[in-house]
Amino acid sequence: MTAHQQSRAGDRATSRAGGRARGRAGRGAARTAPRTRLALAAAAGLAGAAALAGCARAEGFAGGKPRSPEQTIRVVPHNGAHGVRADGRLEVRVPEGRLERVEVRRTGGAGRQPVAGRISPDGMVWRPAQGRLQLGARYTVDAVALDGAGHRSARHTTFTTSAPVHRLTGHFSPQGDATVGTGLIFSMVFNRQVADRAAVERAVRVTARPPVEIAAHWFGRRRLDFRPRERWRPGTRITVDLRLRGVKAGPGAYGTQRRTVHYQVARDQVSVIDAARHTMTVRQGGRVVAVLPVTAGDEENPTYNGTMVILERQSMTRMDGDTVGFGAEYDIPDVPHAMRLTRSGTFLHGNYWAPPEVFGGLNTSHGCVGLKDVKGGGPQTPAGWFFGRSMVGDTVVVIRSPERTVAPDNGLGGWNMPWGPWRAGSALH
């Protein structure tokens, strides 16, 4: 083979080799192109998914897992809290969504007592209607809410309020729902000193129907009285609203009472005892219905002058001189038809042991006023007649006695204080 032939043969061989190589390369490129397009499409899909994931909440992307009840419903005080202040914060709240139902109850010996409250218009918070809870009490909270994703949650918690170190209690009489005379003064005597008299006075509300101005007056730090300017009008309904529970009266001292009492005022009866004439004139509605002979306190122990009110009535009682500073001068176990006028021991009562001529003629007692009676008490005697027509709250006035006027804080003697000084005795002025 000539050199020229060898060259042409080499060119052909090279050409065939190059063609086969190009053919293989072309077929490989054709096979590779679809895979490349799929890979690009997959990459684009992942990028889109990643973009979507970036706009969505993680929990939504994970399948919408709901929050825990503690995250959905938040309660103050916290679950299991002890020593919570009675005037502290009580609240049920959701950070998003809305509350469906909230029930707060006080548990104890009286059963489960609901605490009134309401959910706000936006449905996100519940608060009690009154800001103060009972001291030393256990409370439960049950709430149901929907979160922002529509998941419903329920939560139950408990807490206990702190117990007062000292309890403040006010004593009064009559206890309520009683018919009383026109001279009644509502009087509360507390079991301990009241440091914050204004706070306590605000928690005792006395009203009347028909309306009339009523003023409070403090005697020291343990007694609070209420009365109008003049005696009550017959037919008046008196309402006393005690809201002392949880009220701070002083360091560590809190009120315990929460109740409402009513009194119905009956006819107007005023009895005037003339100690110099030894008589008692009884008027009802301004009309004289009887003039009864009496015996008042003697020269050494005269009866108080002034306006007094019947505090209590006892068909029979014991009177022992030793209890009021007279020692063994007397001890009568069966005094009939006894009506107390002062806390210091003045009574208007039946007397069966004195001679008949004493009544209407002499003053012989240790300061009380006696009406003729029989042993055991007779309904038709002067004492029995008056007892049967009298009630707590009736007015008794003593005149022309050598003794001083009864003190305003001795019994219900507040009618002896002018209206100006009486009103000035309020802690709210």
Side-chain angles (χ1 to χ4, degrees):
M1 180 177 296
T2 65
H4 177 74
Q5 290 175 326
Q6 289 177 343
S7 175
R8 291 180 62 190
D11 291 341
R12 288 195 296 270
T14 301
S15 176
R16 286 195 297 270
R20 286 195 298 270
R22 285 193 299 270
R24 287 193 297 270
R27 288 193 296 273
R31 286 193 297 269
T32 302
R35 286 198 295 269
T36 301
R37 287 193 295 270
L38 286 172
L40 291 171
L46 287 174
L52 289 173
C55 296
R57 292 169 53 182
E59 59 190 46
F61 185 66
K65 182 179 179 182
R67 293 183 174 187
S68 68
E70 291 76 11
Q71 293 174 312
T72 303
I73 305 172
R74 300 173 184 179
V75 181
V76 177
H78 65 79
N79 187 26
H82 291 278
V84 174
R85 288 177 50 180
D87 59 352
R89 179 182 168 202
L90 172 57
E91 183 179 273
V92 182
R93 178 183 291 275
V94 292
E96 60 181 3
R98 62 183 175 85
L99 290 164
E100 288 190 319
R101 185 176 71 254
V102 177
E103 293 181 358
V104 180
R105 295 180 182 273
R106 173 170 54 87
T107 63
R112 294 171 59 83
Q113 304 297 317
V115 175
R118 64 173 179 267
I119 297 173
S120 61
D122 61 8
M124 299 190 72
V125 62
W126 177 96
R127 292 189 181 94
Q130 294 185 348
R132 187 175 296 276
L133 301 175
Q134 182 172 323
L135 290 163
R138 183 177 184 270
Y139 288 86
T140 62
V141 179
D142 290 281
V144 178
L146 287 174
D147 66 14
H151 297 114
R152 181 172 281 105
S153 296
R155 192 174 181 200
H156 172 82
T157 67
T158 64
F159 66 90
T160 304
T161 54
S162 59
V165 177
H166 305 294
R167 296 177 183 269
L168 179 77
T169 303
H171 302 278
F172 58 92
S173 181
Q175 285 296 302
D177 298 321
T179 300
V180 297
T182 57
L184 181 75
I185 295 176
F186 180 76
S187 179
M188 293 193 75
V189 179
F190 296 99
N191 63 330
R192 63 182 63 255
Q193 297 278 329
V194 177
D196 192 344
R197 294 187 295 181
V200 170
E201 186 177 328
R202 287 190 196 96
V204 182
R205 185 166 180 253
V206 182
T207 57
R209 194 174 68 235
V212 65
E213 182 185 1
I214 301 168
H217 187 95
W218 284 90
F219 293 104
R221 293 194 172 272
R222 290 188 57 185
R223 177 171 165 180
L224 175 61
D225 286 13
F226 292 83
R227 72 168 176 90
R229 180 191 292 266
E230 306 292 342
R231 295 193 309 276
W232 304 100
R233 183 189 306 176
T236 297
R237 182 172 173 81
I238 305 169
T239 299
V240 181
D241 197 17
L242 301 178
R243 291 293 180 264
L244 288 164
R245 182 181 297 164
V247 173
K248 187 175 182 180
Y254 292 86
T256 60
Q257 293 159 295
R258 183 171 182 177
R259 61 179 296 197
T260 300
V261 296
H262 301 281
Y263 303 108
Q264 187 66 40
V265 179
R267 80 287 174 272
D268 179 41
Q269 177 170 297
V270 180
S271 303
V272 178
I273 297 167
D274 187 330
R277 295 184 59 190
H278 319 294
T279 61
M280 181 171 71
T281 303
V282 183
R283 290 181 173 86
Q284 286 190 359
R287 183 176 64 89
V288 176
V289 295
V291 179
L292 305 174
V294 300
T295 178
D298 60 22
E299 291 183 1
E300 293 184 3
N301 307 287
T303 305
Y304 286 120
N305 277 301
T307 301
M308 291 168 266
V309 176
I310 296 178
L311 305 174
E312 60 184 65
R313 298 165 67 255
Q314 301 174 34
S315 58
M316 194 79 64
T317 191
R318 177 185 178 183
M319 290 189 176
D320 182 358
D322 194 46
T323 63
V324 288
F326 287 108
E329 291 188 31
Y330 64 88
D331 186 2
I332 308 170
D334 56 350
V335 178
H337 297 136
M339 291 157 280
R340 180 184 285 273
L341 300 179
T342 69
R343 292 299 177 193
S344 61
T346 307
F347 278 80
L348 178 57
H349 61 78
N351 181 327
Y352 65 82
W353 54 89
E357 62 272 14
V358 164
F359 303 98
L362 293 172
N363 291 329
T364 60
S365 80
H366 288 79
C368 293
V369 177
L371 290 162
K372 187 178 180 181
D373 211 337
V374 296
K375 190 175 179 64
Q380 303 304 321
T381 63
W385 180 91
F386 184 75
F387 186 86
R389 287 161 177 78
S390 298
M391 64 181 62
V392 170
D394 279 350
T395 303
V396 176
V397 181
V398 177
I399 61 174
R400 299 211 295 171
S401 172
E403 183 58 287
R404 66 187 184 276
T405 299
V406 65
D409 62 345
N410 191 356
L412 299 181
W415 297 110
N416 297 290
M417 182 182 292
W419 184 239
W422 179 271
R423 293 182 76 252
S426 168
L428 302 181
H429 291 311

